[in-house]
Amino acid sequence: MSAFHSNSPIKRRVAEPVLAVLTIFLATGIVNESVILFNTILELLWFPVAILVPGLLALSVLVGMLAHGIRLSSTVLGSGNRIQPGDTAITRVLASIVLGTLAAFTLLWVVASLYIHYLADTGGVSPSIWALLFGGGLGVLVLLRAVFFQLFPEGPFSRLRGPSVE
């Protein structure tokens, strides 16, 4: 049995909350202009870490959104029973769309930052701050999504449909 099996104790999305916390940490360090970050981390290492962490978070969210879309489409087409509990809940579909859009936008800024920093010989301010700011927002939303779907695994309205305890 694989470690990434859905019934294993190791959750499939362990890396996403870790990347979200790291991205939030990096974004707050940039916003606060923390001197500690720049003095403790070598300057050559700072830029790749500050860009790759939000980029990896965005890629992880996009892969999750794509997997959710494939499961939903397989249910609609009737080509298999890949659906997981709560996949058809409107809150999960909306969360997937919102997070996927923000992840695509973050990934756009990550790619632009890498292009401008390594390929284009331009001056001025690097757009890496935008990748970090949008990545920080994405990180907050990913953590909120994780908490929300731990509380309501099949959506918040599933409790209304169940039998009432009286």
Side-chain angles (χ1 to χ4, degrees):
M1 185 180 289
S2 148
F4 294 107
H5 190 265
S6 62
N7 293 332
S8 75
I10 299 174
K11 297 286 185 181
R12 191 182 115 209
R13 295 278 179 177
V14 171
E16 215 167 75
V18 171
L19 287 171
V21 169
L22 285 174
T23 304
I24 293 169
F25 173 71
L26 290 170
T28 55
I30 285 293
V31 169
N32 292 336
E33 296 177 355
S34 178
V35 179
I36 296 171
L37 287 175
F38 298 110
N39 288 338
T40 58
I41 299 174
L42 298 173
E43 188 174 337
L44 294 175
L45 218 78
W46 167 252
F47 183 77
V49 168
I51 293 303
L52 290 179
V53 170
L56 290 174
L57 176 64
L59 278 175
S60 175
V61 169
L62 285 174
V63 166
M65 184 190 89
L66 180 65
H68 184 243
I70 289 172
R71 286 192 310 266
L72 285 177
S73 64
S74 72
T75 301
V76 170
L77 297 174
S79 63
N81 192 11
R82 294 185 181 106
I83 199 82
Q84 294 177 355
D87 269 350
T88 57
I90 190 71
T91 52
R92 187 154 320 236
V93 172
L94 287 175
S96 183
I97 291 170
V98 168
L99 286 175
T101 304
L102 187 57
F105 198 65
T106 302
L107 196 59
L108 172 81
W109 281 107
V110 167
V111 170
S113 297
L114 289 173
Y115 174 76
I116 288 176
H117 193 267
Y118 290 113
L119 296 177
D121 192 20
T122 61
V125 179
S126 173
S128 63
I129 190 162
W130 294 112
L132 278 172
L133 291 177
F134 287 118
L138 179 64
V140 168
L141 290 177
V142 163
L143 291 177
L144 287 175
R145 178 190 68 177
V147 169
F148 182 79
F149 289 123
Q150 283 294 327
L151 293 174
F152 307 106
E154 294 185 19
F157 301 118
S158 66
R159 293 187 181 181
L160 297 175
R161 285 180 272 163
S164 63
V165 179
E166 287 186 19

